[in-house]
Amino acid sequence: MSVGIMQLGIDDLRTTYAEQPDILVGTPGQTPDGRIFRLAKAGATALDPGKLTVAATQASAQENIAVAVAAPIGATQVTVTLGAEAVAANAYAQGQLAITDGTGEGISYLISGHPAAGSAGTLVVTLVEPLKVALATTTEVCLVKNTYSDIVISATDQADAVAGVPNVAIPAANWGWVQTKGDCAVWADETVTAGKAITIGTGAAGQVEQLDAAGEPEIGVAKQALVDTEYRLATLSID
């Protein structure tokens, strides 16, 4: 699969794919004028142009789960015991296996793929690279989705990792490009003075508003005055 910053034509950023192209999810692409996009997969709901998107909610059931079978240095497969939630095939592909406790802690590995598995069952996770430190059955890990896999329209609680803004409708479960840097039309939920920092909106899903409290994620600045319920230009700085 292609890696690194790709060069995107204007038509590329408005192209969607029913099947994943030969590009890793999250791969950045740059247009001739310098805007940055990331390849993303929509979740179960279609994405709309100009509406902010965020990463899928991470499954707490798959945090601090046990390694079921000891794995030596150089192994490219790790067997884990899942928490109380089933896992679909390749739900964590191109995400991370993070070693959270025990031998190998502090290292994370890119996931190549895995089969489906039932709640509390065992799951064999295949890694892109071999283990650098052996894992014991006392080791605990987290399965973490790729930020750009199964993304959704932002919620109004401001509690999610920002993904980007599509410039075209992306059908559910399809792949497309979301913008993370540069001038982009966004949907406002209030009046924002040009030049002010913006964050996830609290008015309606997918909107942005002025950043005005500690802890709110800054996603860019208003390039022009933003008007409630209108789409106007902001300069994104997510990347």
Side-chain angles (χ1 to χ4, degrees), residues 42-80:
T45 303
L47 309 177
D48 300 321
K51 292 185 179 180
L52 186 68
T53 67
V54 295
T57 300
Q58 299 295 334
S60 60
Q62 311 310 347
E63 295 178 345
N64 292 338
I65 58 177
V67 171
V69 179
I73 292 173
T76 56
Q77 290 189 321
V78 177
T79 302
V80 299

Side-chain angles (χ1 to χ4, degrees), residues 16 18 21-22 29 42 87 92 94 96 108 149 155 172 175 216-217 228:
T16 62
D22 194 25
V87 170
Y92 293 94
Q94 298 168 49
Q96 299 281 336
S108 60
S149 180
W175 288 260
E216 295 176 351
D228 187 24

